[in-house]
Amino acid sequence: MTFFITIIYKQIKNDKMKNVTFNTETAIEVAPLQKMLNYNGNYGKFGGAFVPDVLAAQLQKLSDFFDEITKTEAFKTEYVQILKDFVGRPSSLYLAKNLSNYIGSKIYLKREDLNHTGSHKINNAIGQILLAKKMGVKEIIAETGAGQHGVATATACAFLGLPCKIFMGAVDMERQALNVRRMQLLGAEVIACTSGNQTLKDAVDTALGYYIENPESYYLLGSQVGPHPYPKMVGYFQSIIGNEARQQILQKEGKLPDSIIACVGGGSNAIGLFCAFLDDKEVKIYGAEGGGKDIKNNTAATLNYGKPIIFQGTYSYCLTDDDNNPIASKSIAAGLDYPGISPQHAYLKDTNRATYFSVTDNQAIEAYQLLSRLEGITPAIESSHAVALALKLMKNKNQLVIINLSGRGDKDVERNM
Ligand SMILES: *Cc1c(COP(=O)(O)O)cnc(C)c1O
């Protein structure tokens, strides 16, 4: 026995031990594609800023400030440092072996669910509040539906030391009592909106009204919607997702993916992933919309069932009635339950660079349960739409695929799905 050990020990000693260096950290690249910065509010015929004059002046100021500060290294460095230390980036790109075997394609999950506060929304909240702070703003205001964006905003405001008001439909406040409590605990003032259906669209209208009356405040939009420069700013701050994922897949596989997939509400997590691959023509791009029951008047699949109109400050697709008035959307996923859509996704659809599918509530629930059991990861019901689309499109295709897992599903467990 002793003899044996001595031999092994000698072998190890003689085998001049190399000093192995472990490369554990993926360099984070926040600089988005130059092409994105060149967008000046127009994505083909979509986009723009359709707002009253008072707001136009404010948005122009905001746009100029954003363009200037994002040119500086100091701002980018500070932003990236916060994402590393406070948010926990880079998020991992995880090879989901069991799901891959089940589907018959090699599936990687971009784990935005691992971010602080549990979704991609914090990337944008931190970026915009940092920007607001540099502008000398005294107060942040934001709208929220299910409360995810409200919680991310309240968190970032606590971290950066700014007061915030969160506008929320009174009905949503009742449905999402836990998130209301969380926001209050973080120091936010939650304001109930009692007009209209008392849900997200009414919260946006009330917040916009407050913003017009209080131009010294900063309106923090949570998705890639609204007038210029919001779609550009939100796209910029979320581009961290795709820039990381592109480096990570090249590191792990030595090649680009065949396909990338994300769910689409307003479009921010999807554009975050897509933007780094837009120039790679061989990479196919798929968006999963909240299909609801997948029939007109019972859906949130804006790009599949809507038409272009001016809605909440931008020209893009929207769900409408026969007289072109916006109508309420319907989806099991609060984060996808919005009748409008990012003007950039409208452009990507019309130019056929990306393809958007309507995924039904039931398909999303199946994917939600499946991923939980197969991988030990419970995705947000929003993100489950992207997983469901992979189940449909990638079956036995032997493709290399990245799915953006935009958030975690703890918030959905209580609903007994
Ligand atoms: C808000 C939300 C979405 C939808 O918003 P996008 O702007 O389309 O990304 C998707 N997933 C999660 C987890 C969300 O919280």
Side-chain angles (χ1 to χ4, degrees), residues 310-372:
I310 293 168
F311 175 63
Q312 290 181 337
T314 190
Y315 181 68
S316 185
Y317 282 80
C318 188
L319 296 170
T320 68
D321 61 17
D322 291 339
D323 299 323
N324 286 351
N325 299 310
I327 57 168
S329 53
K330 263 211 175 128
S331 165
I332 190 171
L336 307 183
D337 206 357
Y338 182 70
I341 179 80
S342 141
Q344 192 171 7
H345 285 294
Y347 173 74
L348 293 176
K349 172 198 154 79
D350 276 20
T351 54
N352 292 318
R353 179 63 189 97
T355 314
Y356 298 85
F357 290 84
S358 171
V359 173
T360 67
D361 291 348
N362 286 338
Q363 289 168 333
I365 293 171
E366 263 174 46
Y368 169 83
Q369 294 171 344
L370 186 79
L371 193 68
S372 299

Side-chain angles (χ1 to χ4, degrees), residues 179-214:
N179 274 343
V180 174
R181 199 58 211 105
R182 276 173 87 191
M183 287 183 266
Q184 289 166 339
L185 183 64
L186 292 159
E189 184 188 342
V190 184
I191 297 168
C193 307
T194 50
S195 62
N197 289 343
Q198 313 189 11
T199 57
L200 178 60
K201 186 179 157 299
D202 314 295
V204 174
D205 289 336
T206 317
L208 272 174
Y210 181 91
Y211 183 42
I212 290 168
E213 307 249 301
N214 299 273

Side-chain angles (χ1 to χ4, degrees), residues 1-2 8 55 64 68 102 106 113 134 146 151 157 168 188 191 218 227 249 252 254 264 306 324 361 364 394 413:
M1 192 62 193
T2 321
I8 290 174
L55 216 55
D64 292 343
E68 277 313 306
Y102 183 90
K106 195 168 191 181
D113 60 309
K134 307 282 176 202
V151 168
C157 280
M168 191 169 184
I191 297 168
Y218 181 96
I249 196 84
K252 286 173 192 272
V264 184
N324 286 351
D361 291 348
M394 299 302 152
V413 172

Side-chain angles (χ1 to χ4, degrees), residues 119-121 148 222-224 263-270 335-336 380 382-383 406-407 411:
S119 83
H120 68 291
K121 291 219 167 67
Q148 295 300 107
S223 188
Q224 209 203 10
C263 69
V264 184
S268 72
N269 86 85
L336 307 183
E382 289 81 5
S383 325
S406 55
K411 68 187 179 54

